[in-house]
Amino acid sequence: MLLAVAAYGGLAYYTPRHHFGQLLGLMMLAFGAYAGLWRARISLRVGLAVALGVRLLWLPALPAFSDDYYRFRWDGLLVAHGLSPFQYRPDELLRPLSLPISPSDTAAQQSELSPTDLRPVLSVREELGELYSKLNSPHYYSVYPPVCQAVFGVAAWLFPSSALGFVVVLRLVVLAAEIATAVLLLALLRTLRLPTRLALLYLLNPLVVVELTGNLHFEAVVITFLLLMFWLLGRNRVGLAGGALGLAAAAKLLPLLVVPLLVRRLGWKQFVVFGSVAGGVLLLLFVPFLSAQLLSNIGRSLNLYFRNFEFNASVYYLLRPIGEWLTGWNQIARIGPALALTTAIGSLALAGLEQTPSWRTLFTSALGLLTLYFLLATTVHPWYLTPLVALSIFTRFRYPLVWSGLAVLSYATYQTAAYTENLWLVALEYAGVGTMLLWELRRGSLTPTVRAV
């Protein structure tokens, strides 16, 4: 416990992202403490207290390993003042807000917006100007769905001029989501007649602690609503389960991938009810942001994600040099969408070919489907993997725990301002994950208790 507190204290307050050696050392210490606590078979009550304590340790800390929170605050300031972050790119707002324009901001130089159009946010233009230089995505529209935007807006409304105040509000929301997740994990484990202590594999996982509570990624909210959906489906509350999926998708679109797995489990009549409620909730939450440009702007951002962004990938990094050898340049604009289409086809195939679809096997199927998605994705940030960690505790597979540890190697990219990836470290990460996955597939099962799932 002392090692865990020391590791998280060092990570939260004394470790800049570009100090990779120190970051890696402290994360190794945190994972060592994680393994030690598990092997010591601490009680569930003590484990829950430790899980809460190491999260509270981060409460007044600014995110150290992610600069996404600058965009969170930018979006929140727009929302708090009645503007849609899906309608205006940050670079479009520079000239009308009289903010400094760099030579590369051609879109801002051509902006047709006027200060009158943006009068609501003129009162916070100093804050926006300070944030703009720190944004990692100033040239595309926001990709954060309505649940995230609502939280960003409330936090910015409460603390329009305080970055720390904004961060504390977001962290309290993430903490509330993690507490709800703990309750749902225990409820689901009891329903499946699995040891409740398995919840600690998620709640004490260092990647989960650092990336969700520490770096404020809203996968915490996604996991909560996704588990709520599973819990409600297990009680045949189909309509409410659809609402939970709608809320999960309104925090991040990823949970929509599991929808094909539900068709045979629900039957067409119940599936229509489930899908209608989920779609209705998602549409209702987007209503405050409706505009003629909403779908096209979100589509542009998603198109950029699949066609331009690459980080810590596996299959794509094997295909990229082949494309470059054949054509002379990076073929991500073709490979990215092709891999996304392969994931979609794979999800339908998995849903159709399941031999005995049941509620008990849903966790394993969802884990397999999301694993396929991340293996074929062009961008896999470490926090993307946290839903895999949550799902894995209901299955016989533990490779997501190995992946959560090895994904830390991807932080080596941030050692320089050029953000150059070390492909040897990427290869080491996926070699370890692949070895563990193949070993578990060959072994067939881990323990008699888990085999019952």
Side-chain angles (χ1 to χ4, degrees), residues 73-85 88 93 121 128 156:
R73 192 168 171 229
W74 176 284
D75 285 5
L77 287 169
L78 296 189
V79 171
H81 290 81
L83 295 178
S84 171
Y88 302 106
L93 302 181
V121 295
L128 292 175

Side-chain angles (χ1 to χ4, degrees), residues 239-276:
L240 291 175
L245 178 65
L247 289 168
K252 191 169 185 177
L253 298 178
L254 180 68
L256 295 177
L257 282 175
V258 306
V259 170
L261 299 175
L262 302 177
V263 177
R264 294 170 63 191
R265 289 174 168 85
L266 289 173
W268 282 107
K269 289 185 179 180
Q270 285 192 314
F271 180 75
V272 169
V273 173
F274 176 88
S276 298

Side-chain angles (χ1 to χ4, degrees), residues 2 40 42 47 63 71 91 141 158 207 286 327 329 357 387 430 442:
L2 291 175
I42 59 171
R71 184 58 184 259
D91 60 355
Y141 301 97
L158 290 172
L207 187 75
F286 266 106
T327 65
W329 63 85
Y430 285 101
R442 291 190 63 181

Side-chain angles (χ1 to χ4, degrees), residues 171-192:
R171 189 158 283 129
L172 289 173
V173 171
V174 170
L175 279 170
E178 288 281 82
I179 291 171
T181 291
V183 173
L184 288 165
L185 287 173
L186 296 175
L188 285 166
L189 287 168
R190 291 189 184 102
T191 299
L192 294 170

Side-chain angles (χ1 to χ4, degrees), residues 97-114:
L97 287 174
S98 300
L99 302 178
I101 300 177
S102 67
S104 63
D105 292 318
T106 55
Q109 297 170 27
Q110 300 170 359
S111 176
E112 298 179 357
L113 300 173
S114 68

Side-chain angles (χ1 to χ4, degrees), residues 192-207:
L192 294 170
R193 298 180 180 178
L194 292 171
T196 53
R197 188 171 168 271
L198 289 172
L200 299 181
L201 289 176
Y202 171 84
L203 296 172
L204 293 176
N205 185 280
L207 187 75

